[in-house]
Amino acid sequence: MLDTKINLFGIEFKNPVMNASGTGGYGKELDSFYPLDTLGGFVSKSCTFNPRFGNPLPRIADASLGCLNCIGLTNPGVKKLAQEEIPPIVNKYPNLPYLCSIAGETKEEYIKEIEILNKVDGIDIYEINISCPNVENGGMALASDPNLAYQITKECKKASKHPIFMKLTPNGVDIAKIAIECEKAGADGLILANSYQGMRIDLRTGKPILSRKIGGYGGPGIFPMALKVIYQCAKVTSIPIIGVGGVSSAEDVIEMLYAGASLVEVGSLNLKDPYACKKIVDELENVMKEYNITSLKDIIKGALKYE
Ligand code: RRO
């Protein structure tokens, strides 16, 4: 019998595969392709207190081994999520862990969102996204300053009735230092990491393709970098890590667990193929057999013993 289950804080994930925030809407969107509880857990698109339209088009640019985005935190606002988006999906799948992602410009905004979401049944974990690369205010600036990251983590933890996982940026920071601050401030876990800043230029015009010129790069091209960040932070913290960045196969999921992740998210590939997570879940047991792995929880942080 192969064991794909992972348990965190008493929450059971039947496998470690989830979608990354922003690649599955609020649940019903991905559920229109395959039963959502095929996944180990579901992660919603980050929401803010007020609705946001996001950045002008174009918001997506192709890149070798992935794509760039500058969506700009498009979302209908936390009240609509709480009233209309989350209840139907958590009622349909009461045993599927629901990770609700929130973002904002100030710590007060995060707190106001948490206070509203605390009243919604069925949420299991908050993803506190302090690393969006595509907004003027807040966003990844919050995860670039160890002090700010500490303060936001501390306040969110105080306000939250669920475990909080801080989503950090890999851009221009000593991420291990930020991870340590988050753990010190009471974070229950880390999500490592957000997209890598990059750009593309249209050779016919010489103009940057994205409306915001610079965007976040995700996809298989960042997989080795994501692995390194997870490994580095797993060495210096002892809270669980959800790994994200360029995962495109069941082999990648297993590699990320060895590097230090307890759960793994698939991001950019969902934008190209909405069945990406399902295909990975379907392959997982075959790959476990191929590498003689009987229990996934036993390989988490496996690579760290070679220190
Ligand atoms: O919406 C976005 O532009 C976005 C977000 Br919130 C994020 O966290 N990461 C990303 O690559 N894009």
Side-chain angles (χ1 to χ4, degrees), residues 8-11 13 98-100 114 118 123-128 156-157 160-166 186-191 240 242:
L8 294 182
F9 309 108
I11 305 163
F13 298 77
Y98 194 98
L99 286 75
C100 184
I114 290 174
N118 274 345
I123 294 173
D124 295 282
I125 287 175
Y126 292 127
E127 166 183 298
I128 314 289
C156 287
K157 179 65 190 167
S160 171
K161 67 173 207 183
H162 304 299
I164 63 164
F165 277 58
M166 306 304 293
D188 298 286
L190 302 166
I191 304 191
I242 299 176

Side-chain angles (χ1 to χ4, degrees), residues 158-293:
K158 218 187 318 168
S160 171
K161 67 173 207 183
H162 304 299
I164 63 164
F165 277 58
M166 306 304 293
K167 186 165 186 180
L168 303 186
T169 181
N171 294 296
V173 291
D174 179 348
I175 193 167
K177 199 165 152 188
I178 309 283
I180 290 169
E181 290 306 305
C182 291
E183 182 176 31
K184 267 201 265 173
D188 298 286
L190 302 166
I191 304 191
L192 305 173
N194 216 311
S195 50
Y196 283 76
Q197 281 191 304
M199 75 183 294
R200 297 296 317 262
I201 293 168
D202 184 341
L203 292 188
R204 291 165 303 182
T205 60
K207 267 176 57 183
I209 293 175
L210 294 172
S211 65
R212 215 171 170 267
K213 301 180 182 68
I214 289 172
Y217 175 41
I222 68 165
F223 180 69
M225 281 120 79
L227 220 58
K228 173 226 166 207
V229 157
I230 292 162
Y231 180 73
Q232 273 184 323
C233 293
K235 278 200 296 192
V236 295
T237 58
S238 53
I239 47 179
I241 293 171
I242 299 176
V244 52
V247 173
S248 59
S249 65
E251 284 86 349
D252 289 351
V253 171
I254 288 174
E255 207 173 327
M256 236 178 214
L257 297 181
Y258 272 117
S262 296
L263 298 165
V264 168
E265 295 176 359
V266 180
S268 298
L269 205 62
N270 280 319
L271 305 179
K272 204 165 128 191
D273 175 7
Y275 292 94
C277 287
K278 179 179 169 14
K279 289 177 185 167
I280 291 174
V281 171
D282 289 347
E283 266 309 295
L284 198 55
E285 292 202 4
N286 286 339
V287 177
M288 286 172 73
K289 277 184 212 142
E290 189 181 340
Y291 292 98
N292 296 318
I293 297 165

